[in-house]
Amino acid sequence: MAHQFSISAVAPGLPPNHQITFRRLALVIILLLMMFSPTVPASGLVWQDPASSTPTQAAAPQQEESTVLELGKVIERDLTAGQKHHYQIALSAGQFMKVEITDHGTDVGVILYWPNGETTNPWQPVGEPFDVKPISAVAESAGVFRIEIYTAARATAGRYEIRLTEVRLANERDRALQEANALFRAYVQLRDQGRYVEAGPNLQRALEIRERLLGEDNLLVANTLGFSASYFDNIGDYASAESANLRALKIKEKLLGPDHPDIAQEFLSLGGTYQHRGDDLKAEEAEKQGLAILQKTHQGETFTAAALLEQLGFVRYATGDYQSAQEYALKARAIWEKLLGADHYHLAPSYTFLGRVAYDQADYTKAEMMYQKALNMSEKGLGAENLHVTTYRNDLAKLYCTRGEYSKGEALYQQSLDIHRQRGAMSHPEVQTALFGLARCYTAEGNIAEAVKVQIQGSDIEDRYVAVNLAVGSEREKRAFLASLTSRSSRNISLHARLAPDAPLARDLAITTVLRNKGRVQDAMSAGLAGLRRRLGEDDQKQLDQLNDVTARLARLVLNGPQKLQPAEYQQRIKGLEDQRESLEDELNRRSSGFYVPSKPVTLAAVQTAIPDQAALIEFAVYRPFDPAAATDQKAYGSPHYIAYVVRNKGEVGWAELGEAATIDKAVDTLRNALRDPQRQDVVQLARAVDALIIAPVRAQFKGVTQLLISPDGELNLIPFEALKNEHGQYLAEGYSITYLTTGRDLIRMQTRRASKSGPVVIANPAFGEPPLTEAPGAGRERFKVVAARGNRRSITTGETLAGVYFAPLVGTAQEARIIHWLFPEARLLTGEHATKAELARVNAPSMLHIATHGFFLQNAERKYSSDGSGPDAAENPLLRSGLALSGANLNQRQKEDGILTALEASNLNLWGTRLVTLSACETGIGEVKDGEGVYGLRRSFFLAGSETLVMSLWSVSDSITREMMTSYYTGLKHGLGRAEALHRAELSMLKRNGRKHPFYWASFIQAGEWANLEGQR
């Protein structure tokens, strides 16, 4: 594996790939033939110091000490520690040579001296001997090549043999490969200077040449891919690093077999990349696979083993398992010391680990000792200006700032930034760490103005870094990556709200952070699917069909339960399907990369431009107040709070700190219960209380506004703001038309229109089916509930499992469908037995999609874990616990074609070009709330599927009330009203009717997304 190793860990609540990064970047695995030969031996990997991989000018050994190599003649010699043997080969201009060195009981290193004085050190003795070490070269001019053979200072005596196997005229292929070698050496030289932007094209060109001449299934190509992974890792493009790693791993497994020791090194590299992406689950899995290979091949005390153990320790540390982390760290350290001695710089991360533990315990004296030792060792081994030393310097700087020694901390951070700036390496992830650390130091010191400037710079770099890393990968991987950065958002908001409330720059940084980061995973997934739909080919469609099939099988398996399967087998099948789905999702994202048109850059100005004159955007956010002077990172972040920013198309941004989330969430939950019950007499009082908490503090910003664009966060996603009452006794709906957004960033995306591919589709009154009582799903209490419901013709659409759910007929929806069909006669009508999951899956971007049926949401009453205790089972996925009931839904376990469409399956529908989706069903707008990402349920899925606008419900209402609302709504749409205004007028009309004033009747349905009319006019 030709890769630099990255190891990272974090204290709880801090991003692993920024705050505490321990990089095994000093270890570089180099292949001799990466530089010199078109072929690679089965065991062609070595460990090498970064400096030695760079061509240098060095004095060649004295000629009288050298032995002339003769073609085909084998020389076998003994070699002991400290000895060096020298050989020479005279070549004419244009000649090609190849030499093979074979170990016999020892482990030799090789230095090649070129005629022009250039020196390369492709093989190093590192205690992991390989059978054959070939080197090759083309002479650009006549001269003598010299070879030095040596072994490690602690090596035992052994034998080796050397043989000149080829001398001939170089052909075009030899020269092209030599060009690749030269490009590679140029890359290494620039890389070691930190000049990544200049270095990258050299490596890419070398890879292209090698792939063209050697084919993809070649070990040299695999190792070049390893260096590509290292390059991407260094610039923070972890998505591309993962892709290169996986390609290298695939090639090596094919050529060497899955249990070859070299494969362990690939898993080591892959694990480091996953850690940087915040995916500790995958990181640990990869690293344990690598360790298992080494143990199986009796190489448990090698450099690779030590690095794997160390990375596993940091994974365990990042997840809070300090005991396991320490055990792994001590094992790794013992191996390092045995192989390299106690003072080698490779041991620096072990001291950093001890420093982190001491820092967490506020033992600053010990932490400083450990951090300083790690920094001294790395500077001595790598050089003070090596970019890989930055992480150690940043750790010590953070400690000084925490301890109040601001000048010391700031000086170290500035040193790191100066070095990176001089090398043109400001895209390096450690630069973000230094900038945010420096801003924290300035803030704690009271230098707010400088803190804001530096934090803006760090945030801009981070935004580009996030965009690159969200371009590919599954949704789970994207969520894991962003989870590691949430603390940065809290810092930016806190800097404004807590420390610089009157600073315009701090305020604009805070709102820009919210606009950039809220709903970012959903945006990234949507962009990927949009790109795929844009250029959909036959292979892409096959991939989509596979994804749909795997998703359907996973949903069916989870919802139907284990049945006759044993728990372990059941969980194994679920995991297998989950892994398949994630792999397909990742592949589809990679296919779409580069094929979609990105939205405009997310800036405050761009969002303001997209806001209508008479509208105001209210951007709510959940954040954790950050104290820059806190004793430890664990104590730095307070309990969650809400904040609101009000953005108009002109003027400054308004805002208000709203208070603790727990208090607001409690009031919201109480109001929700009252809204769902038309008999509650306290709904007005409760609606007023919530209004006072979240709207009243910013109401002064609504002057001249008739439309509110509301981007909620947290539990605020689950209430209709229309039902809030102001101090004058008016509902919010009486003064404003309201549209909901995932984030104000949606306004930029909405400016790009998509064309529909088919006419309207209306699905209603599905034939849910009536299974015999003896076959009623569930047992005991759940079965009793279902039987009782059937007797009363009453639906049960919530429960812990699908076994406790029953869908009663919805005859009234047939009339609802007929009215819509009368208004829009071009619509395709699917009712009764035709209202099937299969028909819905076949829709192709209809202009409108209306679904009148039952929705369901299964409560996650208790946390369930897989049988091996490794993590939560698939039933915890909120997109598998919510969905729609279609024809045959009550016969789910009795037929092959089930009638349950989960939210996860709904996200795979093709609605790119669908202007409006109406879910005329119970509770289609609820789900599991995730701060910063909205509601994981049907509303998320239909936006992921591509719908421009979604109308959904927050609680259950009767068929007749729903029919009235939908009739009024679609009549307004037919007359050209906007999608938001049509619903707004339908609400006001219902509100004015006798007996309908309780919000239960008129506020259940909300509209999200584009608010223009069906022709796109606002």
Side-chain angles (χ1 to χ4, degrees):
M1 197 287 302
H3 195 80
Q4 296 175 334
F5 301 125
S6 300
I7 300 176
S8 59
V10 297
L14 293 179
N17 47 342
H18 286 292
Q19 296 297 330
I20 312 162
T21 305
F22 303 96
R23 294 226 165 133
R24 184 61 68 194
L25 292 173
L27 286 176
V28 183
I29 302 175
I30 302 290
L31 265 175
L32 170 65
L33 296 183
M34 286 291 292
M35 299 181 182
F36 304 113
S37 175
T39 59
V40 179
S43 299
L45 299 173
V46 301
W47 296 85
Q48 180 171 348
D49 293 329
S52 64
S53 66
T54 305
T56 59
Q57 298 293 325
Q62 295 299 316
Q63 186 170 354
E64 60 269 22
E65 298 176 356
S66 298
T67 301
V68 177
L69 292 179
E70 300 177 21
L71 186 63
K73 181 179 179 182
V74 177
I75 298 174
E76 187 171 357
R77 298 179 68 179
D78 293 321
L79 187 68
T80 60
Q83 281 190 316
K84 296 178 181 179
H85 296 160
H86 300 105
Y87 302 91
Q88 63 181 15
I89 309 105
L91 296 181
S92 301
Q95 280 193 309
F96 168 88
M97 72 145 186
K98 181 177 180 182
V99 176
E100 291 183 353
I101 301 103
T102 305
D103 287 320
H104 292 296
T106 189
D107 176 25
V108 302
V110 180
I111 298 177
L112 178 66
Y113 297 85
W114 294 65
N116 64 0
E118 197 174 275
T119 304
T120 52
N121 185 190
W123 295 98
Q124 292 234 358
V126 291
E128 298 183 32
F130 305 105
D131 293 337
V132 180
K133 299 176 178 178
I135 56 175
S136 59
V138 175
E140 299 296 336
S141 59
V144 176
F145 284 84
R146 292 181 170 83
I147 297 172
E148 180 178 294
I149 307 294
Y150 66 99
T151 190
R154 299 184 180 189
T156 57
R159 295 181 67 78
Y160 73 93
E161 64 181 47
I162 184 169
R163 176 174 57 180
L164 179 62
T165 59
E166 281 189 75
V167 175
R168 57 174 171 77
L169 284 176
N171 55 36
E172 185 177 345
R173 186 172 184 272
D174 298 327
R175 294 185 182 280
L177 288 172
Q178 178 122 322
E179 179 190 356
N181 298 336
L183 288 165
F184 177 80
R185 291 196 300 274
Y187 158 73
V188 171
Q189 188 171 23
L190 290 169
R191 178 204 66 186
D192 289 349
Q193 296 172 10
R195 295 157 62 185
Y196 298 115
V197 175
E198 295 176 67
N202 291 310
L203 181 61
Q204 183 60 36
R205 178 60 180 149
L207 177 60
E208 290 171 358
I209 293 172
R210 288 167 176 173
E211 283 184 312
R212 173 170 55 84
L213 295 177
L214 307 176
E216 292 188 355
D217 290 340
N218 179 275
L219 284 177
L220 178 56
V221 171
N223 283 279
T224 313
L225 284 167
F227 274 95
S228 293
S230 176
Y231 163 73
F232 288 123
D233 200 53
N234 276 325
I235 64 172
D237 183 356
Y238 303 127
S240 295
E242 179 192 8
S243 179
N245 267 325
L246 289 172
R247 283 187 62 196
L249 176 62
K250 185 177 180 180
I251 294 170
K252 289 194 172 183
E253 285 184 328
K254 179 178 180 180
L255 297 178
L256 304 178
D259 293 331
H260 194 280
D262 290 0
I263 305 301
Q265 294 170 353
E266 293 298 332
F267 281 121
L268 172 66
S269 174
L270 195 57
T273 298
Y274 285 140
Q275 281 176 259
H276 284 133
R277 296 190 69 179
D279 196 342
D280 292 325
L281 186 66
K282 275 196 167 183
E284 187 167 14
E285 183 179 346
E287 287 150 9
K288 284 185 174 179
Q289 282 182 270
L291 200 59
I293 290 172
L294 294 182
Q295 291 169 344
K296 187 175 182 179
T297 55
H298 308 291
Q299 295 198 30
E301 291 193 347
T302 58
F303 287 99
T304 311
L308 282 164
L309 287 165
E310 194 165 71
Q311 285 196 181
L312 280 166
F314 286 128
V315 170
R316 290 288 85 212
Y317 181 85
T319 57
D321 183 359
Y322 297 149
Q323 182 175 350
S324 296
Q326 186 173 5
E327 291 173 359
Y328 281 126
L330 290 175
K331 289 179 181 178
R333 186 169 180 174
I335 297 173
W336 291 124
E337 289 183 341
K338 180 178 178 180
L339 296 175
L340 299 170
D343 295 325
H344 200 281
Y345 69 87
H346 288 158
L347 274 74
S350 68
Y351 288 100
T352 307
F353 176 84
L354 295 174
R356 275 278 7 120
V357 174
Y359 180 91
D360 292 345
Q361 297 170 346
D363 184 352
Y364 299 143
T365 300
K366 182 177 179 180
E368 182 181 9
M369 290 174 59
M370 297 300 100
Y371 286 158
Q372 188 67 65
K373 187 169 181 64
L375 179 59
N376 291 343
M377 294 174 84
S378 62
E379 285 185 333
K380 182 179 178 181
L382 300 172
E385 295 194 351
N386 191 296
L387 297 186
H388 308 325
V389 176
T390 302
T391 185
Y392 304 104
R393 188 181 299 111
N394 286 348
D395 285 330
L396 187 58
K398 178 181 175 181
L399 171 67
Y400 285 141
C401 288
T402 302
R403 204 161 59 181
E405 300 177 62
Y406 302 122
S407 59
K408 284 186 177 181
E410 291 165 11
L412 287 172
Y413 280 132
Q414 289 289 4
Q415 183 182 355
S416 292
L417 292 172
D418 288 344
I419 292 171
H420 281 267
R421 196 174 288 114
Q422 291 166 7
R423 303 293 183 85
M426 293 300 285
S427 63
H428 195 287
E430 279 300 318
V431 171
Q432 297 172 53
T433 303
L435 287 168
F436 274 91
L438 183 59
R440 178 179 182 176
C441 206
Y442 284 144
T443 304
E445 190 180 11
N447 189 352
I448 304 301
E450 284 302 312
V452 172
K453 291 179 183 178
V454 172
Q455 204 142 311
I456 288 173
Q457 186 181 359
S459 297
D460 287 342
I461 294 174
E462 181 190 75
D463 185 60
R464 295 190 291 271
Y465 162 79
V466 169
V468 166
N469 283 286
L470 290 185
V472 298
S474 69
E475 180 170 3
R476 187 196 63 79
E477 289 173 319
K478 295 180 197 297
R479 289 202 312 267
F481 176 71
L482 278 186
S484 69
L485 302 174
T486 54
S487 63
R488 293 279 179 82
S489 295
S490 287
R491 287 196 191 193
N492 287 356
I493 297 172
S494 295
L495 181 61
H496 164 233
R498 299 297 173 119
L499 300 168
D502 299 321
L505 283 176
R507 178 202 60 214
D508 290 352
L509 169 63
I511 179 58
T512 301
T513 298
V514 176
L515 291 170
R516 284 173 173 173
N517 293 343
K518 268 180 69 179
R520 194 144 188 182
V521 171
Q522 178 175 312
D523 234 21
M525 294 298 295
S526 296
L529 287 169
L532 194 68
R533 299 286 186 193
R534 192 181 300 276
R535 61 125 203 185
L536 192 65
E538 185 176 341
D539 289 342
D540 302 315
Q541 187 59 58
K542 287 180 180 178
Q543 287 279 329
L544 279 172
D545 291 343
Q546 280 185 278
L547 178 64
N548 293 338
D549 176 65
V550 170
T551 303
R553 286 191 285 141
L554 175 61
R556 190 176 180 86
L557 182 61
V558 169
L559 292 177
N560 287 346
Q563 298 187 37
K564 296 180 180 180
L565 296 175
Q566 292 298 314
E569 184 182 0
Y570 178 60
Q571 293 298 336
Q572 186 176 7
R573 290 193 184 185
I574 286 177
K575 187 178 187 307
L577 289 172
E578 285 179 320
D579 290 346
Q580 272 186 265
R581 189 179 190 282
E582 185 169 313
S583 177
L584 287 165
E585 203 172 58
D586 185 22
E587 175 61 25
L588 286 169
N589 268 276
R590 294 183 190 281
R591 281 172 175 265
S592 68
S593 181
F595 286 93
Y596 69 91
V597 178
S599 58
K600 296 178 181 178
V602 180
T603 63
L604 176 58
V607 172
Q608 285 182 300
T609 301
I611 298 174
D613 290 342
Q614 306 303 314
L617 166 66
I618 313 177
E619 192 75 61
F620 292 95
V622 176
Y623 79 103
R624 296 178 64 193
F626 177 71
D627 177 7
T632 65
D633 289 319
Q634 292 92 330
K635 296 178 180 179
Y637 295 89
S639 59
H641 278 229
Y642 280 107
I643 195 168
Y645 289 94
V646 180
V647 186
R648 304 285 298 274
N649 64 0
K650 295 177 182 177
E652 293 189 346
V653 174
W655 68 281
E657 156 70 40
L658 303 180
E660 288 196 3
T663 301
I664 294 173
D665 289 346
K666 184 177 180 180
V668 165
D669 188 58
T670 303
L671 174 60
R672 285 183 62 208
N673 290 331
L675 290 170
R676 298 163 66 93
D677 183 355
Q679 304 305 315
R680 290 281 293 266
Q681 299 300 310
D682 58 351
V683 67
V684 171
Q685 175 187 349
L686 296 173
R688 177 71 197 102
V690 173
D691 179 275
L693 289 170
I694 65 174
I695 293 296
V698 293
R699 185 172 277 117
Q701 309 294 324
F702 299 170
K703 187 177 180 180
V705 167
T706 58
Q707 181 186 18
L708 295 180
L709 307 173
I710 298 178
S711 170
D713 201 359
E715 296 298 316
L716 302 184
N717 281 284
L718 301 180
I719 57 167
F721 280 70
E722 292 89 337
L724 301 185
K725 273 216 167 188
N726 66 18
E727 61 271 23
H728 302 297
Q730 288 184 311
Y731 287 110
L732 210 60
E734 295 180 89
Y736 308 96
S737 172
I738 295 177
T739 288
Y740 296 89
L741 304 171
T742 302
T743 164
R745 189 174 64 254
D746 292 349
L747 298 171
I748 300 175
R749 175 181 50 78
M750 288 177 186
Q751 295 174 336
T752 302
R753 302 294 181 188
R754 297 188 291 262
S756 303
K757 295 183 180 179
S758 59
V761 174
V762 178
I763 298 175
N765 190 27
F768 301 121
E770 294 290 343
L773 290 180
T774 55
E775 297 186 21
R781 182 178 302 174
E782 286 187 337
R783 176 174 173 175
F784 175 80
K785 285 165 60 179
V786 172
V787 172
R790 286 189 53 201
N792 298 326
R793 313 295 285 174
R794 177 174 57 83
S795 292
I796 298 176
T797 58
T798 61
E800 293 183 22
T801 68
L802 200 62
V805 172
Y806 172 74
F807 304 107
L810 290 171
V811 180
T813 62
Q815 185 177 352
E816 178 183 325
R818 285 194 293 271
I819 292 171
I820 296 172
H821 189 252
W822 178 75
L823 289 167
F824 297 89
E826 71 275 21
R828 182 184 175 207
L829 190 59
L830 298 170
T831 61
E833 298 291 344
H834 300 289
T836 64
K837 178 179 176 179
E839 287 291 344
L840 178 56
R842 279 193 283 269
V843 299
N844 183 26
S847 57
M848 290 193 307
L849 176 62
H850 182 93
I851 306 175
T853 183
H854 285 297
F856 70 88
F857 181 73
L858 303 180
Q859 302 295 332
N860 190 18
E862 57 180 308
R863 189 170 175 81
K864 301 176 178 67
Y865 287 84
S866 54
S867 57
D868 63 358
S870 61
D873 69 25
E876 285 204 35
N877 186 338
L879 299 185
L880 284 173
R881 289 188 281 110
S882 57
L884 297 172
L886 296 162
S887 182
N890 287 331
L891 309 174
N892 185 41
Q893 298 187 35
R894 302 180 65 247
Q895 57 183 23
K896 183 176 181 181
E897 172 57 43
D898 65 82
I900 297 294
L901 180 81
T902 65
L904 191 64
E905 295 169 283
S907 65
N908 293 338
L909 296 173
N910 180 14
L911 303 178
W912 292 93
T914 298
R915 299 175 196 128
L916 169 67
V917 171
T918 301
L919 301 180
S920 181
C922 306
E923 302 179 320
T924 50
I926 67 173
E928 186 172 303
V929 174
K930 294 185 182 293
D931 292 347
E933 276 296 322
V935 179
Y936 273 70
L938 287 166
R939 69 162 78 179
R940 180 181 185 84
S941 296
F942 277 93
F943 277 126
L944 281 176
S947 176
E948 284 184 6
T949 304
L950 184 63
V951 172
M952 55 203 155
S953 64
L954 296 176
W955 58 81
S956 302
V957 294
S958 68
D959 283 3
S960 59
I961 297 296
T962 301
R963 185 168 62 252
E964 289 181 43
M965 287 290 293
M966 291 299 114
T967 299
S968 178
Y969 179 56
Y970 278 91
T971 299
L973 291 175
K974 183 67 176 180
H975 290 159
L977 291 179
R979 296 164 227 180
E981 184 57 26
L983 185 61
H984 182 219
R985 294 193 186 186
E987 291 170 343
L988 293 178
S989 176
M990 182 75 74
L991 175 60
K992 293 176 182 177
R993 293 182 54 188
N994 290 332
R996 294 289 187 262
K997 292 190 180 297
H998 194 293
F1000 168 82
Y1001 297 104
W1002 55 266
S1004 172
F1005 285 95
I1006 61 173
Q1007 177 266 332
E1010 175 60 67
W1011 62 88
N1013 69 13
L1014 294 177
E1015 301 305 316
Q1017 298 173 341
R1018 294 181 177 174

